[in-house]
Amino acid sequence: MAALPPPHTLALHERENAMADQVVSTWVKTAERTPTLAILPPGLDAASWAERVAEFQSILGADGVLTNHEHRVRYGDPYAEHQDGQEQEKRGSAATLFPVTVEHVQAVLKICNAHSLPVWTISQGKNLGYGGPAARVKGSIILDLKRMNKVLEVNDRYSYYTVEPGVTFFDIYKAIKEQKKNIWCSVPALGWGSVVGNALDRGWGYTPAGDHSNQICGIEVVLADGTLVRTGMGALDKSVCWPLFRGGYGPTYESMFCQSNFGIVTKLSLWASPSPEGYMMCRVDVENEEDLAPLIDIFRDLLLRDAIQNHPLIGNLPRELVKKGPRSQFYSGKGAIPDARLKEIQKELGIGFWAARFSLYGPKEIVEVNYRRCQEAFKKLPSATLTGRDFYAEGKEFLHPEDLPIEFRTVETGTPSLLALKAVQYRGEDGGHISFSPILPPDGQAALKFYYDAKASCIAAGFDYFGGLHLYPRHLAMITMVYFDRQSDEERKAANKLFVELVHVAKMHGYSEYRAHVDYMDLVADQFDFNGQSLMRMNERIKDALDPNGILSPGKQGIWPAGYRKEGNGASAVNGVAAAVADLKV
């Protein structure tokens, strides 16, 4: 039996900690049903692999190397399409390494270069719905950076923090509170992930500085050959402006290490929001399905004119249901919930078909003015109901999340949570999901048209459409969550087939994803086909120059090293993933 991780204790609500424990224990129990296969790195026999394990242990210590059963249970994709035995055969990994220092990372890469061992780097491995901690190449070594967990600086004079990749959102929230800094951190829906990993994968939070990848200012990265590089002003030895000015001197490279396999990021600074004087939590409900179009257009104008400081999140009625319990509470039939039943549920709950949440920040007079601007704007949409609840610093200069009633300490206040885990149990206690994440223009009619097509695909596949629309001034991330019961082979396969169909539906509209599940990185990369996929060809040239042995996360975002691109060499390493995707395209 694999050991369960320590009980979760960081969430503000004990019920969230208990829920996380229950979800993780379900994953472990499911994984335990399948025997662990012996997985070796490509090109090594058992004796050679034992020698490499001993080398890694000499660098990291015995507890710095995890192999065999415990490794398999903890480092598989909990939401994988296939049953665990099939998943191991497809892309099972050989071991997990836990470096603590940059020197550890460099020493590990030296061994991997010498023996051409593929290394798949993760920060916490919580990339749920996109493949979790699992690698693309069978036999990869997982390099888990969770023990590189120092909060190096929290600076409220300039509003930034500098962290190592193992720092979670709970960790940075705790550090800000303990150091009594006037900063609101930015957190995504689940707080147990890595601050660095989220930013590098273009994730987001819900405060004004929530567009994380665009808040990066200075990174430290280890290249494949062990060279340590600092970007921007960090290239100046003993620089004091590294986290303050993105430009540096000459070309800038922060974005080069987002969603790439060009290096291993070991430090990163993120700009954050200063603690505000006041805060208002706002919600808009609209009555009808077609109201999505004017809702988006109104929000876009408010964002462009700075009436709203954070990004609105728009969800449809089924997205509200996952917060309230399993699907069986609302509908027991097969297939998607019929529209007529959705309207009944809407009336029973007294909410809109679409509901959006957003926040206002600043002194009372600014918050009140911006709220009136929102009220005036939403008068143009007769079915819209706008509500707001405001809070202000009492007897002190700035408002802090802990000053708020606990029920109002939401992600919009930079407070991490585990509550979103509840959603995976929508279709079964042992549930999972795959996320489809296209980028659209923030245009109401365009979004509504795409919504109808995506919804039709979901219904045809037997799934409810779950929309989470993250709206920014100049783009819209229109996330579709496909929830399924992991105990149903039929649902697992249908969910993954639906994902592939949605990729092609998006391409017909001129859209594609901003991130992708590890199984479908090649498929999504293929959509970016301008000038014979010249962008990918450039990526490959950079990959070959920086990582000639092709050891760093081969296949990430569809970027394969030269050795894997040669027919008959690396083709076997992807274990038929490309062929499977090709079958699904038909």
Side-chain angles (χ1 to χ4, degrees):
M1 287 285 292
L4 287 171
H8 294 85
T9 59
L10 287 175
L12 296 179
H13 299 277
E14 279 308 311
R15 62 188 176 89
E16 291 184 25
N17 290 318
M19 180 177 57
D21 292 338
Q22 189 269 326
V23 169
V24 172
S25 68
T26 300
W27 293 346
V28 172
K29 288 174 184 175
T30 298
E32 287 286 2
R33 297 173 189 165
T34 307
T36 297
L37 304 179
I39 305 292
L40 297 174
L44 292 190
D45 58 24
S48 298
W49 174 229
E51 292 174 359
R52 303 291 81 75
V53 169
E55 287 184 87
F56 291 135
Q57 289 174 334
S58 71
I59 297 166
L60 304 174
D63 67 343
V65 182
L66 188 65
T67 59
N68 302 322
H69 186 65
E70 185 84 10
H71 158 75
R72 193 269 297 178
V73 171
R74 287 171 54 183
Y75 286 88
D77 176 8
Y79 302 157
E81 174 185 0
H82 301 288
Q83 295 287 355
D84 192 59
Q86 295 172 292
E87 192 66 14
Q88 288 181 76
E89 289 285 5
K90 185 176 72 171
R91 54 189 177 105
S93 51
T96 302
L97 308 182
F98 302 98
V100 178
T101 66
V102 167
E103 291 74 19
H104 283 168
V105 174
Q106 292 169 316
V108 165
L109 292 184
K110 185 176 181 180
I111 295 170
C112 293
N113 268 304
H115 301 279
S116 298
L117 304 180
V119 180
W120 187 266
T121 304
I122 63 173
S123 298
Q124 284 287 338
K126 304 298 188 185
N127 202 20
L128 301 178
Y130 296 98
R136 293 209 62 191
V137 173
K138 183 179 178 180
S140 290
I141 296 165
I142 307 296
L143 191 66
D144 188 341
L145 307 182
K146 67 172 58 176
R147 295 186 184 178
M148 300 180 71
N149 58 3
K150 295 184 182 71
V151 176
L152 299 168
E153 184 182 9
V154 179
N155 188 306
D156 59 358
R157 184 174 190 178
Y158 303 119
S159 289
Y160 70 83
Y161 34 83
T162 304
V163 296
E164 292 184 330
V167 173
T168 70
F169 292 96
F170 283 112
D171 293 332
I172 191 63
Y173 177 84
K174 181 179 178 182
I176 290 170
K177 183 177 178 181
E178 289 178 347
Q179 297 178 33
K180 298 181 179 179
K181 297 292 188 177
N182 289 314
I183 289 179
W184 280 17
C185 65
S186 179
V187 303
L190 286 172
W192 62 1
S194 162
V195 174
V196 169
N198 178 276
L200 293 178
D201 220 6
R202 300 198 178 98
W204 52 67
Y206 297 85
T207 57
D211 192 1
H212 294 158
S213 65
N214 287 324
Q215 306 303 323
I216 297 173
C217 185
I219 65 172
E220 178 184 272
V221 59
V222 179
L223 301 182
D225 65 359
T227 301
L228 188 65
V229 175
R230 288 186 174 180
T231 65
M233 298 306 292
L236 179 71
D237 197 24
K238 299 179 182 178
S239 171
V240 296
C241 294
W242 187 25
L244 305 180
F245 179 65
R246 291 195 186 104
Y249 181 74
T252 55
Y253 293 100
E254 277 83 358
S255 292
M256 177 177 167
F257 297 101
C258 289
Q259 291 191 355
S260 79
N261 50 14
F262 300 149
I264 296 173
V265 174
T266 52
K267 293 180 181 64
L268 179 149
S269 291
L270 274 181
W271 291 347
S273 300
S275 300
E277 299 86 346
Y279 158 75
M280 179 180 281
M281 175 188 290
C282 301
R283 176 178 170 123
V284 179
D285 287 80
V286 296
E287 183 71 18
N288 307 305
E289 196 169 17
E290 62 271 19
D291 289 337
L292 177 65
L295 181 66
I296 287 174
D297 291 338
I298 291 169
F299 269 130
R300 182 192 63 243
D301 193 54
L302 290 168
L303 285 164
L304 285 169
R305 298 179 185 279
D306 295 323
I308 298 173
Q309 290 80 38
N310 74 335
H311 83 269
L313 169 58
I314 305 170
N316 67 337
L317 182 59
R319 193 177 185 278
E320 289 286 310
L321 301 187
V322 300
K323 305 174 187 177
K324 301 181 183 299
R327 185 175 188 266
S328 57
Q329 288 185 197
F330 304 98
Y331 183 69
S332 58
K334 292 186 176 182
I337 301 175
D339 286 348
R341 175 60 187 142
L342 285 176
K343 292 303 290 183
E344 292 174 353
I345 296 170
Q346 181 183 340
K347 190 173 294 186
E348 292 165 10
L349 297 178
I351 59 177
F353 186 90
W354 297 96
R357 69 176 202 247
F358 64 96
S359 297
L360 306 175
Y361 304 83
K364 185 174 184 178
E365 57 271 25
I366 299 297
V367 169
E368 289 180 344
V369 165
N370 282 331
Y371 188 64
R372 287 197 296 272
R373 294 169 73 185
C374 294
Q375 287 176 314
E376 288 299 314
F378 284 110
K379 284 181 180 178
K380 302 171 188 174
L381 182 50
S383 79
T385 301
L386 171 65
T387 57
R389 173 72 185 273
D390 55 348
F391 304 89
Y392 300 96
E394 300 292 342
K396 51 186 177 181
E397 191 173 4
F398 301 112
L399 185 68
H400 296 275
E402 56 268 24
D403 298 331
L404 302 170
I406 195 165
E407 64 270 24
F408 290 99
R409 298 182 208 173
T410 64
V411 290
E412 285 84 4
T413 69
T415 304
S417 170
L418 295 173
L419 189 60
L421 272 175
K422 183 178 182 179
V424 301
Q425 297 178 325
Y426 179 70
R427 291 183 77 107
E429 183 178 343
D430 189 8
H433 72 84
I434 187 169
S435 300
F436 175 64
S437 311
I439 298 296
L440 280 66
D443 176 85
Q445 282 299 327
L448 185 64
K449 184 178 180 181
F450 179 71
Y451 159 71
Y452 283 136
D453 286 352
K455 177 186 174 185
S457 294
C458 291
I459 291 172
F463 295 101
D464 303 307
Y465 177 88
F466 290 86
L469 286 65
H470 298 260
L471 183 61
Y472 292 88
R474 295 174 182 85
H475 75 275
L476 169 64
M478 197 162 177
I479 311 300
T480 301
M481 301 288 276
V482 183
Y483 293 104
F484 57 89
D485 182 354
R486 293 205 306 154
Q487 296 303 313
S488 167
D489 285 344
E490 181 182 356
E491 284 196 16
R492 286 151 65 120
K493 291 175 182 175
N496 282 269
K497 187 174 182 179
L498 171 60
F499 173 88
V500 175
E501 180 175 333
L502 289 172
V503 170
H504 293 293
V505 170
K507 185 63 188 298
M508 287 188 292
H509 285 261
Y511 313 139
S512 192
E513 288 203 290
Y514 83 97
R515 66 194 292 192
H517 191 287
V518 293
D519 273 351
Y520 301 109
M521 286 178 172
D522 294 340
L523 171 65
V524 174
D526 285 347
Q527 310 308 303
F528 291 81
D529 54 1
F530 170 76
N531 193 23
Q533 295 188 312
S534 57
L535 176 62
M536 180 55 73
R537 294 202 307 273
M538 184 178 75
N539 288 337
E540 291 171 348
R541 291 165 70 182
I542 295 170
K543 178 65 174 174
D544 294 344
L546 292 180
D547 184 12
N549 293 320
I551 64 169
L552 296 183
S553 300
K556 185 172 175 61
Q557 259 62 52
I559 304 171
W560 291 98
Y564 291 82
R565 297 194 299 268
K566 293 176 182 176
E567 186 176 354
N569 183 355
S572 61
V574 290
N575 285 289
V577 171
V581 170
D583 290 342
L584 287 169
K585 288 181 181 179
V586 178

